[in-house]
Short mmCIF file of all heavy atoms in Angstrom, two decimals:
data_model
loop_
_atom_site.label_atom_id
_atom_site.label_comp_id
_atom_site.label_asym_id
_atom_site.label_seq_id
_atom_site.Cartn_x
_atom_site.Cartn_y
_atom_site.Cartn_z
N SER A 392 20.36 -33.41 32.74
CA SER A 392 20.91 -33.39 34.11
C SER A 392 19.86 -33.87 35.13
O SER A 392 18.69 -33.50 35.04
CB SER A 392 21.37 -31.97 34.46
OG SER A 392 21.82 -31.89 35.79
N GLU A 393 20.31 -34.67 36.08
CA GLU A 393 19.42 -35.12 37.15
C GLU A 393 19.33 -34.12 38.26
O GLU A 393 18.38 -34.12 39.04
CB GLU A 393 19.91 -36.47 37.67
CG GLU A 393 19.88 -37.59 36.66
CD GLU A 393 20.38 -38.90 37.22
OE1 GLU A 393 20.80 -38.89 38.40
OE2 GLU A 393 20.36 -39.90 36.49
N SER A 394 20.31 -33.25 38.36
CA SER A 394 20.31 -32.22 39.38
C SER A 394 19.59 -30.97 38.91
O SER A 394 19.80 -30.54 37.80
CB SER A 394 21.76 -31.87 39.76
OG SER A 394 21.81 -30.72 40.57
N VAL A 395 18.76 -30.41 39.77
CA VAL A 395 18.02 -29.21 39.42
C VAL A 395 18.99 -28.02 39.21
O VAL A 395 18.82 -27.20 38.30
CB VAL A 395 16.98 -28.85 40.50
CG1 VAL A 395 16.28 -27.56 40.17
CG2 VAL A 395 15.98 -29.99 40.64
N GLU A 396 20.00 -27.96 40.06
CA GLU A 396 20.96 -26.86 39.94
C GLU A 396 21.74 -26.92 38.64
O GLU A 396 21.93 -25.93 37.97
CB GLU A 396 21.90 -26.90 41.15
CG GLU A 396 21.24 -26.53 42.49
CD GLU A 396 22.23 -26.48 43.63
OE1 GLU A 396 23.45 -26.73 43.35
OE2 GLU A 396 21.81 -26.22 44.75
N GLU A 397 22.21 -28.13 38.31
CA GLU A 397 22.94 -28.29 37.05
C GLU A 397 22.06 -27.99 35.84
O GLU A 397 22.51 -27.44 34.85
CB GLU A 397 23.51 -29.69 36.95
CG GLU A 397 24.63 -29.98 37.94
CD GLU A 397 25.20 -31.39 37.73
OE1 GLU A 397 24.76 -32.09 36.82
OE2 GLU A 397 26.12 -31.77 38.50
N SER A 398 20.81 -28.35 35.93
CA SER A 398 19.87 -28.04 34.85
C SER A 398 19.68 -26.57 34.67
O SER A 398 19.67 -26.04 33.53
CB SER A 398 18.50 -28.74 35.12
OG SER A 398 17.58 -28.44 34.10
N LYS A 399 19.57 -25.83 35.81
CA LYS A 399 19.44 -24.38 35.70
C LYS A 399 20.70 -23.73 35.15
O LYS A 399 20.61 -22.78 34.38
CB LYS A 399 19.13 -23.83 37.13
CG LYS A 399 17.73 -24.10 37.59
CD LYS A 399 17.47 -23.46 38.96
CE LYS A 399 16.04 -23.69 39.42
NZ LYS A 399 15.77 -23.09 40.75
N VAL A 400 21.85 -24.24 35.55
CA VAL A 400 23.10 -23.73 35.02
C VAL A 400 23.18 -23.92 33.50
O VAL A 400 23.58 -23.00 32.78
CB VAL A 400 24.31 -24.44 35.70
CG1 VAL A 400 25.61 -24.05 35.00
CG2 VAL A 400 24.38 -24.02 37.18
N GLY A 401 22.75 -25.08 33.03
CA GLY A 401 22.77 -25.34 31.58
C GLY A 401 21.82 -24.42 30.85
O GLY A 401 22.15 -23.90 29.78
N GLU A 402 20.61 -24.19 31.41
CA GLU A 402 19.67 -23.27 30.78
C GLU A 402 20.18 -21.84 30.75
O GLU A 402 20.06 -21.14 29.76
CB GLU A 402 18.33 -23.33 31.56
CG GLU A 402 17.56 -24.62 31.37
CD GLU A 402 16.28 -24.64 32.18
OE1 GLU A 402 16.00 -23.62 32.85
OE2 GLU A 402 15.54 -25.63 32.10
N GLU A 403 20.82 -21.40 31.84
CA GLU A 403 21.36 -20.05 31.91
C GLU A 403 22.50 -19.91 30.89
O GLU A 403 22.62 -18.85 30.22
CB GLU A 403 21.88 -19.76 33.32
CG GLU A 403 20.76 -19.59 34.34
CD GLU A 403 21.29 -19.36 35.74
OE1 GLU A 403 22.55 -19.35 35.91
OE2 GLU A 403 20.47 -19.18 36.68
N GLN A 404 23.34 -20.90 30.75
CA GLN A 404 24.42 -20.84 29.77
C GLN A 404 23.87 -20.78 28.34
O GLN A 404 24.38 -20.01 27.53
CB GLN A 404 25.34 -22.06 29.94
CG GLN A 404 26.18 -22.06 31.20
CD GLN A 404 27.02 -23.31 31.35
OE1 GLN A 404 26.77 -24.33 30.70
NE2 GLN A 404 28.03 -23.23 32.20
N ALA A 405 22.83 -21.56 28.06
CA ALA A 405 22.21 -21.52 26.73
C ALA A 405 21.60 -20.15 26.43
O ALA A 405 21.71 -19.60 25.35
CB ALA A 405 21.17 -22.63 26.61
N ASN A 406 20.93 -19.58 27.44
CA ASN A 406 20.31 -18.24 27.29
C ASN A 406 21.37 -17.18 27.09
O ASN A 406 21.19 -16.25 26.29
CB ASN A 406 19.44 -17.92 28.50
CG ASN A 406 18.21 -18.79 28.58
OD1 ASN A 406 17.73 -19.28 27.56
ND2 ASN A 406 17.70 -19.01 29.80
N ASP A 407 22.50 -17.30 27.83
CA ASP A 407 23.60 -16.32 27.69
C ASP A 407 24.17 -16.34 26.29
O ASP A 407 24.59 -15.31 25.74
CB ASP A 407 24.66 -16.56 28.72
CG ASP A 407 24.24 -16.21 30.13
OD1 ASP A 407 23.27 -15.42 30.29
OD2 ASP A 407 24.86 -16.72 31.09
N LEU A 408 24.25 -17.54 25.69
CA LEU A 408 24.83 -17.67 24.36
C LEU A 408 23.98 -16.96 23.29
O LEU A 408 24.50 -16.56 22.25
CB LEU A 408 24.96 -19.15 24.00
CG LEU A 408 26.06 -19.92 24.76
CD1 LEU A 408 25.99 -21.40 24.38
CD2 LEU A 408 27.45 -19.36 24.39
N MET A 409 22.69 -16.79 23.53
CA MET A 409 21.83 -16.15 22.57
C MET A 409 21.57 -14.66 22.88
O MET A 409 20.74 -14.02 22.24
CB MET A 409 20.48 -16.88 22.49
CG MET A 409 20.62 -18.31 21.97
SD MET A 409 21.60 -18.44 20.49
CE MET A 409 20.66 -17.45 19.32
N ARG A 410 22.29 -14.13 23.85
CA ARG A 410 22.23 -12.69 24.08
C ARG A 410 23.26 -11.95 23.21
O ARG A 410 24.27 -12.57 22.83
CB ARG A 410 22.53 -12.36 25.55
CG ARG A 410 21.42 -12.85 26.51
CD ARG A 410 21.60 -12.27 27.90
NE ARG A 410 20.53 -12.69 28.80
CZ ARG A 410 20.60 -13.71 29.63
NH1 ARG A 410 21.71 -14.42 29.70
NH2 ARG A 410 19.59 -14.02 30.39
N PRO A 411 23.01 -10.69 22.83
CA PRO A 411 23.96 -9.98 21.98
C PRO A 411 25.35 -9.93 22.61
O PRO A 411 25.49 -9.56 23.78
CB PRO A 411 23.36 -8.59 21.84
CG PRO A 411 21.91 -8.78 22.12
CD PRO A 411 21.84 -9.86 23.15
N ALA A 412 26.38 -10.26 21.82
CA ALA A 412 27.75 -10.15 22.29
C ALA A 412 28.22 -8.71 22.21
O ALA A 412 29.07 -8.29 23.00
CB ALA A 412 28.66 -11.06 21.45
N VAL A 413 27.69 -7.96 21.27
CA VAL A 413 28.05 -6.57 21.09
C VAL A 413 26.79 -5.75 20.84
O VAL A 413 25.92 -6.20 20.07
CB VAL A 413 29.04 -6.36 19.90
CG1 VAL A 413 29.33 -4.89 19.71
CG2 VAL A 413 30.32 -7.14 20.13
N GLN A 414 26.65 -4.60 21.46
CA GLN A 414 25.51 -3.72 21.23
C GLN A 414 26.07 -2.30 21.11
O GLN A 414 26.66 -1.79 22.03
CB GLN A 414 24.50 -3.81 22.36
CG GLN A 414 23.26 -2.95 22.10
CD GLN A 414 22.21 -3.15 23.19
OE1 GLN A 414 22.25 -4.14 23.93
NE2 GLN A 414 21.23 -2.28 23.26
N ILE A 415 25.83 -1.67 19.96
CA ILE A 415 26.32 -0.35 19.70
C ILE A 415 25.14 0.58 19.45
O ILE A 415 24.27 0.28 18.63
CB ILE A 415 27.26 -0.29 18.47
CG1 ILE A 415 28.41 -1.30 18.66
CG2 ILE A 415 27.76 1.11 18.23
CD1 ILE A 415 29.25 -1.47 17.39
#
Side-chain angles (χ1 to χ4, degrees):
S392 176
E393 296 180 357
S394 169
V395 177
E396 292 184 0
E397 290 183 2
S398 179
K399 288 183 178 180
V400 170
E402 290 179 359
E403 290 177 359
Q404 290 177 342
N406 292 333
D407 289 340
L408 289 174
M409 296 312 298
R410 292 192 177 97
V413 178
Q414 183 176 344
I415 304 171

